[in-house]
Amino acid sequence: MLHARCCLNQKGIILGLDLQNCSLKDPGPNFPQAHTAVIIDLQANPLKDELANAFHGFIQLQTLILPQDVNCPGGINAWNNVTFYINNQTCQGQRNLCNSTGDPEMCPENGSCAPDGPGLMQCICADGFHGYKCMRQGSFSLLVFFGILGSTTLSISILLWGTQRRKAKAS
Amino acid sequence: MAWPHIFQRGTLLSRFSHHHVVVFLLTFFSYSLLHASRKTFSNVKVSISKQWTPSAFNKSIELPVEIWSSNHLFPSAEEATLFLGTLDTIFLFSYAVGLFISGIVGDRLNLRWVLSFGMCSSALVVFVFGTLTEWLRFYNKGLYCCLWIVNGLLQSTGWPCVVAVMGNWFGKAGRGVVFGLWSACASVGNILGACLASSVLQYGYEYAFLVTAAVQFAGGIIIFFGLLVSPEEIGLPGIEAEENFEEDSHRPLINGADNEDESEPNYSIQEDDTASQVKAISFYQACCLPGVIPYSLAYACLKLVNYSFFFWLPFYLSNNFGWKEAEADKLSIWYDVGGIIGGTLQGFISDVLQKRAPVLALSLLLAVGSLVGYSRSPDDKSINALLMAVTGFFIGGPSNMISSAISADLGRQELIQGSSEALATVTGIVDGTGSIGAAVGQYLVSLIQDNLGWMWVFYFFILMGILIGCSFHHPTSRYSPPALFKEPWG
């Protein structure tokens, strides 16, 4: 559904954003709120050409329309299709740069590369790993452990009390 | 050559009831569990150090802060290492202080209560230290230091109590073999701790602490319900009654050849009626006895090397060779295996030869050589494990013997012959100095490693080995007990 310049889905998540002709010099501090957008229109704005870091987290973005003099964030390699029209530039099809750079040492131990937006990559935990610095793997079953320990302790204590201390004088 | 008494007394096994077996096993495993929880800390040093520091990864890729660098307790891994060394030092100092206090406390209160209390409360402290701080994400240097001081004091209740209980149940006959086997408990505890820690380390280091603390707590409960402190508790005759019965068949006391009085005062923490006719000597007088100071310093150096291996081995293996922490933990077991074999075998050999000094001197000489060899170990797990076992053999053996036999030697000189108070005091001085030396050494190890690297740590150890060897040529290093009653780790 359309709401002002936003296109939202049923749950209220932004899918499209139309910011053309808004006299914007930069996308603004609240721009990351639209990180779920699939299509964004920024044409006819006096934007400066440093958009690379404004798109952190925009992993769903597939179509980005920019003024002619502004480059696609991440450069031409980050997009499948860059088309030039009369009054705008359209970047289409965000590429997952993790596959193309192919450096195996890209992330720290137990981390794996994941896209973070057009031309951006981040290291998150590899499959099965979690926690700080992805050091932890799997989950420890407290119930099983304490169950076994408790029952063993109980049985050994009863056994020993019966055979050893039962006849002990009060001390 | 004099074969130990075990071979001459065929009735050895018949004097031990199932109560003796249970007491042996309970005291053995309670001290093992105490040691296992100490070992856990050194087994997870790599993981803890990673948890406390932000990531030092230096590539252009974006690293989300919550995953990679939100913890800033220490700015770098080097600072964290220094703090880990400080914690070890703090622990050893408070442990040394606690040893002095615990002997007195154990005398006045029921041993079973003191031991269970010590085990259970130490387990709780370890749980708070390692598991609770991680679950609450609360990292604080002051808290860690305080908890570790308390842990040191609580853990020191273990040794005097188990020693006294063993002393109540096992008299002179067959003591040598029984105690020889029994004193492997610390090494077994190390192996147990290493196995437990490495098996749950993948879930997070906090679970390693949780598991060892929980098992130790359970052990404290079992001790409370199952331990008989002395035979008198269930109406059996005590060991003095048994020994009075045997005195007629006893060989006459010959200076140096009669070994059986030696170890009895060594753990006479609860004995208050033997040797009461001899005046106890003061602390100052004990220090001034010939040989006490040099041997205390020698023991300090040896304990320094031994404890450094105990505390730092998994960390060194991880850092130097890049092996995963869980594998390094499993491999560090071989040092303890070597120590168990070394202590038992060298004790047996010196029993048979009736000479302590040559065995010790040779072992220390070979220890220096094995340290050199180990420091140049190649990046191969099997060879490293073998060299580690050899080093453990040559360092663990003398350590075990010095802490027991030499203390007994020193406390039995003509000047103070028969005074059990002197022996306890001398043992306390030697052990206490040893612990302080070990404590200082831990800080030095992390300092040297930070600034100069691991090779210089090994040179430091080699220097210590040479110092010990030099201070060994002292007239009182004569042979004494077959009852190698020892405190292997302090």
Side-chain angles (χ1 to χ4, degrees):
Chain A
M1 63 193 173
L2 283 176
H3 176 77
R5 285 176 174 255
C6 297
C7 177
L8 307 170
N9 72 357
Q10 285 132 344
K11 294 186 199 141
I13 294 177
I14 298 176
L15 292 177
L17 192 59
D18 178 9
L19 291 175
Q20 61 173 313
N21 211 355
C22 289
S23 315
L24 292 171
K25 291 218 178 68
D26 58 70
N30 295 324
F31 192 56
Q33 286 176 21
H35 65 273
T36 49
V38 179
I39 174 166
I40 295 183
D41 191 345
L42 283 168
Q43 64 180 309
N45 283 303
L47 288 171
K48 291 187 221 137
D49 191 18
E50 291 143 16
L51 289 180
N53 286 323
F55 287 90
H56 269 289
F58 283 74
I59 48 180
Q60 319 266 32
L61 191 61
Q62 294 303 322
T63 309
L64 179 63
I65 307 169
L66 295 170
Q68 275 232 327
D69 52 340
V70 176
N71 289 322
C72 288
I76 298 190
N77 294 326
W79 298 92
N80 282 330
N81 245 332
V82 178
T83 323
F84 289 88
Y85 296 106
I86 303 173
N87 47 4
N88 66 37
Q89 198 188 160
T90 306
C91 319
Q92 271 175 315
Q94 196 187 130
R95 270 210 201 131
N96 184 351
L97 286 174
C98 285
N99 300 336
S100 37
T101 30
D103 174 13
E105 295 278 328
M106 219 167 0
C107 280
E109 199 187 338
N110 296 339
S112 70
C113 179
D116 188 32
L120 301 164
M121 297 177 284
Q122 61 174 344
C123 285
I124 57 173
C125 290
D127 248 354
F129 293 91
H130 59 95
Y132 187 67
K133 288 189 183 168
C134 307
M135 287 192 285
R136 293 163 174 77
Q137 190 180 12
S139 87
F140 183 78
S141 52
L142 286 167
L143 210 59
V144 172
F145 172 70
F146 279 110
I148 295 178
L149 185 68
S151 48
T152 313
T153 310
L154 192 66
S155 36
I156 295 181
S157 300
I158 294 177
L159 178 72
L160 285 179
W161 188 82
T163 56
Q164 307 292 313
R165 282 208 64 85
R166 199 158 31 105
K167 299 172 228 152
K169 304 183 182 121
S171 52
Chain B
M1 298 245 248
W3 294 102
H5 277 258
I6 172 117
F7 295 119
Q8 295 170 7
R9 298 195 185 229
T11 55
L12 183 67
L13 291 174
S14 63
R15 64 177 73 238
F16 293 146
S17 64
H18 68 95
H19 294 292
H20 289 82
V21 174
V22 171
V23 164
F24 182 96
L25 289 174
L26 279 180
T27 51
F28 186 95
F29 281 109
S30 70
Y31 195 66
S32 297
L33 287 174
L34 280 172
H35 235 267
S37 68
R38 275 183 236 174
K39 186 81 167 110
T40 304
F41 178 63
S42 49
N43 280 341
V44 302
K45 271 184 176 154
V46 174
S47 296
I48 287 193
S49 155
K50 275 202 222 166
Q51 183 76 31
W52 286 343
T53 53
S55 180
F57 202 67
N58 239 342
K59 291 213 177 141
S60 56
I61 197 166
E62 159 88 5
L63 299 173
V65 170
E66 336 56 76
I67 303 179
W68 299 104
S69 44
S70 60
N71 286 350
H72 288 278
L73 192 64
F74 295 99
S76 68
E78 287 77 32
E79 308 253 332
T81 310
L82 213 57
F83 183 67
L84 289 170
T86 311
L87 280 180
D88 285 333
T89 309
I90 288 175
F91 178 83
L92 282 172
F93 267 120
S94 67
Y95 187 72
V97 167
L99 275 176
F100 290 122
I101 302 174
S102 296
I104 302 171
V105 168
D107 263 351
R108 283 157 178 68
L109 301 176
N110 188 319
L111 287 174
R112 183 172 60 100
W113 283 87
V114 174
L115 187 60
S116 318
F117 171 75
M119 284 181 76
C120 292
S121 42
S122 161
L124 282 173
V125 170
V126 169
F127 170 76
V128 172
F129 177 92
T131 314
L132 209 61
T133 52
E134 175 58 33
W135 282 350
L136 299 175
R137 305 285 166 95
F138 179 72
Y139 311 109
N140 181 297
K141 292 180 223 179
L143 180 68
Y144 285 133
C145 289
C146 287
L147 286 175
W148 228 224
I149 291 175
V150 174
N151 193 29
L153 292 171
L154 291 170
Q155 287 236 342
S156 66
T157 58
W159 182 248
C161 290
V162 295
V163 155
V165 171
M166 281 295 278
N168 287 340
W169 280 92
F170 293 93
K172 289 179 189 162
R175 191 185 282 164
V177 176
V178 170
F179 280 112
L181 271 176
W182 184 81
S183 44
C185 55
S187 298
V188 166
N190 290 345
I191 295 176
L192 194 68
C195 286
L196 279 176
S198 64
S199 60
V200 296
L201 202 53
Q202 56 168 335
Y203 301 114
Y205 76 89
E206 65 271 21
Y207 291 109
F209 280 112
L210 177 69
V211 166
T212 42
V215 175
Q216 190 180 312
F217 192 88
I221 295 178
I222 293 177
I223 291 277
F224 184 75
F225 283 110
L227 185 69
L228 287 166
V229 165
S230 67
E232 286 94 348
E233 259 197 319
I234 48 169
L236 294 174
I239 50 168
E240 290 89 26
E242 274 184 36
E243 272 142 20
N244 287 335
F245 180 70
E246 288 172 23
E247 237 166 40
D248 305 327
S249 53
H250 215 49
R251 286 184 305 150
L253 293 171
I254 306 170
N255 191 14
D258 173 60
N259 321 310
E260 301 195 316
D261 285 335
E262 290 290 10
S263 40
E264 186 186 327
N266 209 354
Y267 49 85
S268 62
I269 301 190
Q270 273 223 317
E271 271 187 39
D272 46 16
D273 45 20
T274 54
S276 50
Q277 62 272 28
V278 182
K279 201 161 54 87
I281 65 172
S282 74
F283 189 83
Y284 179 68
Q285 284 173 299
C287 280
C288 293
L289 285 175
V292 172
I293 303 272
Y295 272 118
S296 301
L297 295 175
Y299 188 53
C301 296
L302 191 55
K303 212 164 174 178
L304 189 157
V305 176
N306 226 356
Y307 261 93
S308 300
F309 267 90
F310 171 58
F311 282 134
W312 290 101
L313 193 53
F315 190 74
Y316 161 71
L317 291 175
S318 259
N319 259 358
N320 206 28
F321 296 117
W323 297 338
K324 287 216 184 329
E325 195 175 20
E327 287 171 18
D329 289 346
K330 287 204 192 86
L331 224 60
S332 67
I333 289 172
W334 288 103
Y335 182 75
D336 290 298
V337 171
I340 295 177
I341 301 175
T344 319
L345 203 61
Q346 288 175 21
F348 184 72
I349 292 176
S350 64
D351 263 0
V352 161
L353 291 177
Q354 296 222 351
K355 278 195 172 76
R356 208 83 61 203
V359 179
L360 286 171
L362 183 66
S363 184
L364 284 168
L365 189 69
L366 294 170
V368 171
S370 64
L371 274 171
V372 172
Y374 187 70
S375 64
R376 298 192 197 300
S377 159
D379 190 353
D380 178 275
K381 295 202 177 113
S382 332
I383 300 182
N384 197 298
L386 181 67
L387 288 172
M388 202 191 299
V390 168
T391 312
F393 182 91
F394 288 121
I395 297 184
S399 180
N400 286 350
M401 281 207 281
I402 289 183
S403 65
S404 66
I406 305 294
S407 305
D409 276 347
L410 296 172
R412 269 212 72 206
Q413 299 173 68
E414 289 82 37
L415 298 167
I416 47 154
Q417 184 145 9
S419 164
S420 62
E421 294 293 326
L423 191 47
T425 314
V426 167
T427 311
I429 294 172
V430 173
D431 270 348
T433 320
S435 292
I436 293 177
V440 167
Q442 295 327 299
Y443 193 72
L444 285 178
V445 165
S446 61
L447 203 62
I448 295 176
Q449 191 268 319
D450 248 7
N451 295 322
L452 297 168
W454 286 108
M455 205 40 105
W456 278 92
V457 175
F458 279 104
Y459 293 151
F460 176 60
F461 288 164
I462 292 169
L463 176 69
M464 291 288 124
I466 296 175
L467 277 178
I468 305 163
C470 289
S471 62
F472 245 117
H473 301 292
H474 191 279
T476 60
S477 63
R478 269 187 291 274
Y479 166 69
S480 73
L484 293 164
F485 181 66
K486 40 196 169 240
E487 189 193 352
W489 293 96

